[in-house]
Amino acid sequence: MHILVLGAGVVGVTTAWFMKQQGYDVTVVDRQSNSGTETSYANGGQISVSHAEPWANPSAPLKVLKWLTRSDAPLLFRPRMDPAQWRWAIAFLRECTSARAAHNIRQIVRLGTYSRERLQALRKEIGIEYDHLEKGILHFYTNPSEFESALKPARIMRELGCDRQVIGAERAVELEPALAPVKHRIAGATYTSEDESGDARQFTQALARKAQEAGVEFLYDTEILGFENTRDRVLGVKVIREGRHQTLRADSYVLSLGSFSAILARKLGLLLNIYPAKGYSITVPVKNEAAAFNVSLTDDEYKLVFSRLGDRIRVAGTAELSGYSRELNLTRCRAIVRRTAELMPEAAHWEQSEFWAGLRPATPSNVPYIGKSHFGNLYLNTGHGTLGWTHSCGSAAALADIVAGRKPDVDFAFTGL
């Protein structure tokens, strides 16, 4: 079987790898000149099973309303004359009940746990390097009400096997001494020792090289235009490659184009409720090793994640629902710098912050589309939102099983099954 994977981000490349391990011929297509150069380029760097509480939860609607007038808000909704945005927003509100939030946490934790196991097995198997650290993830809270709100989701995660332990400020500083200067401000924390961190772009590009060596073909600098199809099958993918219009053909196809999956799927009459949530990050050189953190951190109140990548610090987060523009909003970038410099002033050369923005493919529930479509030879692996790096290996391994006609080794609501 020949499989054509559309997209060379972390999800597309892991899909290609696991498909190749099944013995399939695999081709990956992407408009960029290398893998991992869009949403995977400078993300938060966490493998965070513990980051499983969806944005859509009972407290979200009031927060979003409160943040509408703040350009530096952690979650910013900018209303547009865009039916896709409003369809997404209405569905998001439906997901904000306690029952739906609990259901979605279960899906996200199960997939995340399975995916982390597959990543660890892959790392052991092929010896891939990407500035990874196995020091856990520590969520800290400087707002007592935010900490109280986190206790129920943390309990649900523990019941599902994600050992997210509730701890106090004293223990938080023992685990990460870089938090000592703000110990008096920490209302509480949680710690998940099995979580990890690492550079998603390094991982994606290293795995792409391994895949290429194994026989996967990568067609970079190739613009995807649409499909040739019948009512129930895809016959080919229309592209522009080296200036020429071509049609690429395969036996089966996998859609892994992040936020752009929804646009392309509409050309087939498929409605994927995916909307871009623009996230921001800063990458900064370490200044003072003693003041810099090593345990990956999450500042839940400000929706920021912190990862140590060798001699660099990556801080990423916030979400802006404002269409497909990747233009930098310097107010939001500076808000990240301001918050991190306030917490750890001597940790990094904050004045040297490198700003970046990427479009995370968000579903209203934060649960991705993985599995079959109603086209017999088109499969979906997309819509992972902020957790594409966390869920990539598990999503890819599960989809490879589905294509092979096997039941995946994870309890998850796959599409088409």
Side-chain angles (χ1 to χ4, degrees):
M1 186 189 293
H2 180 206
I3 295 179
L4 193 66
V5 178
L6 307 181
V10 68
V11 174
V13 170
T14 50
T15 299
W17 174 264
F18 282 95
M19 293 293 181
K20 188 63 182 176
Q21 298 309 296
Q22 299 280 359
Y24 303 134
D25 293 328
V26 182
T27 301
V28 180
V29 184
D30 198 276
R31 65 184 178 183
Q32 299 294 346
S33 58
N34 201 350
S35 58
T37 55
E38 293 209 19
T39 308
S40 306
Y41 184 83
N43 73 4
Q46 291 187 338
I47 300 297
S48 50
V49 179
S50 60
H51 200 74
E53 185 179 11
W55 294 344
N57 59 68
S59 68
L62 190 59
K63 286 181 180 177
V64 172
L65 282 174
K66 183 175 69 175
W67 289 336
L68 275 176
T69 57
R70 279 182 50 191
S71 60
D72 63 347
L75 178 57
L76 181 61
F77 180 74
R78 292 189 183 277
R80 296 163 54 87
M81 298 298 289
D82 181 354
Q85 186 193 51
W86 285 98
R87 186 185 311 116
W88 190 96
I90 292 167
F92 176 86
L93 291 174
R94 292 196 194 105
E95 298 291 337
C96 287
T97 66
S98 295
R100 289 303 303 165
H103 169 82
N104 294 332
I105 288 173
R106 292 186 194 99
Q107 299 297 311
I108 296 166
V109 169
R110 288 170 184 155
L111 180 59
T113 302
Y114 175 66
S115 190
R116 186 178 61 200
E117 291 168 356
R118 296 310 301 250
L119 170 63
Q120 291 167 347
L122 175 64
R123 189 170 62 225
K124 184 176 180 180
E125 176 190 350
I126 65 176
I128 196 167
E129 294 290 337
Y130 49 93
D131 279 336
H132 78 277
L133 291 174
E134 299 170 69
K135 294 180 178 290
I137 293 178
L138 192 156
H139 290 66
F140 66 92
Y141 301 83
T142 54
N143 183 318
S145 64
E146 291 285 337
F147 177 58
E148 288 296 320
S149 298
L151 297 180
K152 181 179 178 181
R155 176 181 55 77
I156 294 172
M157 292 175 209
R158 287 194 301 276
E159 291 170 356
L160 293 167
C162 174
D163 191 22
R164 186 175 171 183
Q165 295 297 318
V166 177
I167 60 175
E170 192 79 36
R171 178 60 177 150
V173 172
E174 286 177 12
L175 289 164
E176 181 44 78
L179 291 173
V182 291
K183 175 184 170 183
H184 62 287
R185 296 176 55 189
I186 296 175
T190 67
Y191 178 63
T192 312
S193 62
E194 293 180 315
D195 278 346
E196 305 182 358
S197 60
D199 190 316
R201 174 169 55 95
Q202 284 186 16
F203 171 86
T204 303
Q205 294 180 351
L207 187 60
R209 288 191 294 271
K210 293 281 189 182
Q212 208 160 15
E213 291 167 8
V216 174
E217 181 183 19
F218 285 82
L219 302 181
Y220 293 121
D221 299 307
T222 301
E223 183 182 357
I224 300 168
L225 303 177
F227 299 94
E228 283 186 14
N229 62 283
T230 63
R231 285 180 58 189
D232 59 0
R233 290 189 70 79
V234 172
L235 304 177
V237 175
K238 300 174 185 178
V239 302
I240 297 176
R241 177 167 169 76
E242 296 175 343
R244 295 189 300 116
H245 286 261
Q246 304 176 37
T247 300
L248 304 176
R249 303 193 187 278
D251 298 303
S252 293
Y253 304 81
V254 180
L255 185 59
S256 293
L257 287 170
S259 297
F260 297 91
S261 295
I263 294 174
L264 201 64
R266 281 201 293 270
K267 298 185 178 186
L268 289 169
L270 284 176
L271 179 60
L272 301 181
N273 204 352
I274 296 171
Y275 199 77
K278 181 160 65 173
Y280 292 82
S281 77
I282 61 172
T283 305
V284 197
V286 171
K287 176 182 178 182
N288 180 349
E289 184 67 37
F293 61 90
N294 282 289
V295 174
S296 190
L297 305 170
T298 297
D299 181 353
D300 264 335
E301 182 181 355
Y302 284 77
K303 306 302 180 197
L304 297 176
V305 301
F306 302 66
S307 291
R308 181 68 181 272
L309 306 174
D311 60 359
R312 299 167 296 147
I313 284 173
R314 171 77 48 75
V315 186
T318 78
E320 182 180 328
L321 293 146
S322 58
Y324 283 82
S325 169
R326 286 187 58 193
E327 184 178 355
L328 288 171
N329 180 328
L330 292 180
T331 299
R332 297 179 73 73
C333 295
R334 289 169 185 146
I336 297 174
V337 176
R338 185 168 60 250
R339 174 64 171 176
T340 50
E342 170 194 324
L343 293 169
M344 291 175 247
E346 297 302 314
H349 294 282
W350 302 114
E351 73 284 357
Q352 297 179 30
S353 295
E354 178 184 330
F355 299 146
W356 174 86
L359 302 178
R360 296 171 299 196
T363 64
S365 63
N366 285 146
V367 177
Y369 293 95
I370 308 167
K372 300 177 179 179
S373 74
H374 72 248
F375 289 85
N377 62 341
L378 176 66
Y379 297 86
L380 307 173
N381 197 3
T382 189
H384 295 76
T386 59
L387 294 173
W389 176 207
T390 297
H391 289 164
S392 58
C393 286
S395 300
L399 188 64
D401 283 336
I402 291 169
V403 172
R406 294 191 300 270
K407 183 179 179 181
D409 293 329
V410 56
D411 182 8
F412 181 80
F414 295 101
T415 63
L417 294 183

